[in-house]
Amino acid sequence: MIPILFQDECLAVCLKPPGTLSQDGPGGSLPSMLREQLGCGIFPVHRLDREAGGVMVYAKTSRAAGALSQEIAQGRFQKRYLCVTQGAPEDSEGIYRDLLLHDKARNKSFVVGRMRGGVKEASLEYQTLSVQDGQALVSVRLHTGRTHQIRVQFASRGTPLLGDRKYGGGEGALMLWSCALGFYHPQKGSLLTFTAPPRGDRWDVFQTELDALQ
């Protein structure tokens, strides 16, 4: 069963298990699981890397999907992530701005030096919450939503996410979690916020900091 944090006639907010597709596709996608579990239409409006887990919202109607997609386009849809990096960022907080090129054939993104076809601007802000045994717990807010953005922007600075085999973070579970969402209800207009910190795996090293986020 997929954990449901909230649902009404328009929305379903849930916790995505790591290893599941956030969009429709082969191999046990989260939308198909939710349709079977909830018995209703499910419309994806944002994505989360397959290896990552955490809070996601799905629309139950095409009208709600359109409203949420518009919020995302207007920058009104707030997402916050937690990650664990190998080594700590040079500054305890800051903004990363890069030009990213996504190679679809390899499903991998790269930081590049100039704007050209296929290149998109990427920006995020971060804050280091704790450093333990050469690993850092980092809070991240995205300004843009590029493919593998958090993973490649931190890896390009010598601090890959723990467990990120694609970007040099070694073996094990990918330490990336969608911990909070904030958006306006597509029908009622009220602000909704949801928070769910990760548990288990190698997150336990930072349990004190994670408990403080609830």
Side-chain angles (χ1 to χ4, degrees), residues 68-88:
L68 289 173
S69 296
Q70 187 174 28
E71 282 192 45
I72 293 172
Q74 294 173 343
R76 301 171 66 220
F77 190 99
Q78 300 297 315
K79 294 181 280 188
R80 183 159 62 97
Y81 300 83
L82 291 172
C83 62
V84 177
T85 61
Q86 289 187 355

Side-chain angles (χ1 to χ4, degrees), residues 1-210:
M1 296 285 286
I2 303 301
I4 304 298
L5 303 181
F6 170 85
Q7 66 168 319
D8 63 8
E9 69 278 5
C10 294
L11 306 171
V13 180
C14 67
L15 291 182
K16 173 188 174 299
T20 58
L21 288 171
S22 63
Q23 304 281 308
D24 284 301
S29 71
L30 184 54
S32 65
M33 295 177 187
L34 289 173
R35 291 183 191 110
E36 182 176 354
Q37 180 174 324
L38 302 179
C40 62
I42 293 292
F43 298 81
V45 295
H46 65 121
R47 298 186 179 190
L48 186 58
D49 291 353
R50 183 171 192 156
E51 301 91 341
V55 186
M56 293 195 70
V57 59
Y58 288 88
K60 288 185 175 181
T61 67
S62 58
R63 185 172 182 177
L68 289 173
S69 296
Q70 187 174 28
E71 282 192 45
I72 293 172
Q74 294 173 343
R76 301 171 66 220
F77 190 99
Q78 300 297 315
K79 294 181 280 188
R80 183 159 62 97
Y81 300 83
L82 291 172
C83 62
V84 177
T85 61
Q86 289 187 355
E90 183 175 352
D91 298 318
S92 61
E93 60 183 48
I95 296 176
Y96 288 163
R97 294 187 178 91
D98 293 295
L99 299 177
L100 298 187
L101 175 66
H102 181 234
D103 184 336
K104 293 183 180 180
R106 299 166 62 185
N107 190 29
K108 190 172 182 179
S109 294
F110 300 88
V111 173
V112 298
R114 63 181 179 85
M115 184 63 74
R116 61 182 189 271
V119 173
K120 296 181 179 180
E121 295 180 348
S123 175
L124 61 77
E125 59 184 292
Y126 73 89
Q127 180 182 13
T128 302
L129 303 179
S130 179
V131 179
Q132 303 283 345
D133 300 325
Q135 300 170 2
L137 177 67
V138 183
S139 174
V140 179
R141 290 187 184 274
L142 288 179
H143 300 159
T144 55
R146 311 307 182 198
T147 301
H148 299 168
Q149 179 179 334
I150 295 173
R151 297 162 65 181
V152 68
Q153 286 196 276
F154 279 92
S156 70
R157 290 165 170 84
T159 54
L161 271 58
L162 198 65
D164 193 351
R165 293 182 292 274
K166 187 181 289 287
Y167 295 98
E171 299 298 319
L174 175 64
M175 302 298 282
L176 176 63
W177 183 265
S178 170
C179 68
L181 291 182
F183 56 89
Y184 293 90
H185 193 283
Q187 189 176 67
K188 301 175 183 178
S190 54
L191 177 63
L192 301 176
T193 58
F194 301 92
T195 303
R199 299 294 181 191
D201 294 322
R202 289 177 281 186
W203 296 103
D204 289 342
V205 175
F206 301 101
Q207 197 60 61
T208 300
E209 291 79 11
L210 295 175

